[in-house]
Amino acid sequence: MKATSVLALIISLSIVAESKVYTRCKLAKIFVKAGLDNYGGFSLGNWICMAYYESHYNTTVQKVLEDGSTDYGIFQINSFTWCRNVRLQQKNHCHVACSALITDDLTDAILCAKKIVKETQGMNYWQGWKKHCEGKDMSEWQKGCEVS
Ligand SMILES: *[C@@H]1O[C@H](CO)[C@@H](O)[C@H](O)[C@H]1NC(C)=O
């Protein structure tokens, strides 16, 4: 390999390894495009607020819980019920590898979040949402964002 292509490889590898933190408005745009606005009756602001309190819009956050399961990604989706990681005893309701929930591409995470809302009938799954967003005025969260 030429020195220039080695350099290009090193640069691209370091980009892949870097964590991605979305801005509020970029996320708003992606959420609208993916049909999250009013999904399950929850306005766009609810989704942005939830993602903020779960992950601070950081797609790579992983949190190991006391029971040995792990919460993954921007929506902190748990491995015990919703995705598949190396441990056994999982339900994997979203039919997805947990590792797919911590990538920059939010497609799988959004699909899984929609499934959670459907199967658990609402957004109560997310403690961050319950604590900080539920029942509050959510219009502020999309303020100043061009979403359509
Ligand atoms: C995002 O999360 C990862 C994993 O927890 C962490 O290493 C990284 O510093 C975070 N990025 C920011 C900008 O907070």
Side-chain angles (χ1 to χ4, degrees):
M1 244 192 283
K2 280 187 190 162
T4 46
S5 45
V6 170
L7 189 64
L9 183 66
I10 289 169
I11 290 169
S12 57
L13 284 177
S14 62
I15 288 168
V16 168
E18 215 170 74
S19 68
K20 170 95 179 177
V21 180
Y22 278 98
T23 63
R24 182 176 56 89
C25 284
K26 176 72 182 164
L27 211 53
K29 205 166 185 170
I30 292 170
F31 284 2
V32 166
K33 217 172 160 193
L36 278 184
D37 189 12
N38 282 322
Y39 187 87
F42 297 95
S43 69
L44 179 60
N46 281 282
W47 291 95
I48 302 170
C49 182
M50 180 270 274
Y52 178 79
Y53 286 107
E54 293 295 337
S55 67
H56 287 83
Y57 312 145
N58 185 339
T59 61
T60 53
V61 175
Q62 290 183 46
K63 191 173 169 219
V64 180
L65 307 184
E66 270 175 30
D67 66 4
S69 65
T70 304
D71 284 346
Y72 288 87
I74 198 150
F75 301 132
Q76 288 292 282
I77 291 172
N78 189 261
S79 61
F80 186 76
T81 305
W82 302 101
C83 61
R84 173 182 75 245
N85 68 11
V86 290
R87 287 166 185 273
L88 295 174
Q89 255 207 352
Q90 290 153 103
K91 300 170 188 165
N92 190 17
H93 281 200
C94 287
H95 303 290
V96 71
C98 296
S99 59
L101 304 178
I102 52 171
T103 62
D104 294 359
D105 183 340
L106 301 179
T107 309
D108 287 327
I110 290 171
L111 277 174
C112 192
K114 283 180 172 175
K115 196 165 175 87
I116 291 172
V117 164
K118 244 188 204 161
E119 290 194 7
T120 68
Q121 301 181 340
M123 292 182 81
N124 288 321
Y125 173 76
W126 292 285
Q127 297 301 316
W129 177 81
K130 276 180 75 168
K131 198 164 171 204
H132 303 280
C133 316
E134 186 180 17
K136 303 211 169 96
D137 176 13
M138 289 289 110
S139 59
E140 288 289 316
W141 288 92
Q142 65 184 91
K143 215 171 194 173
C145 302
E146 195 118 8
V147 291
S148 50

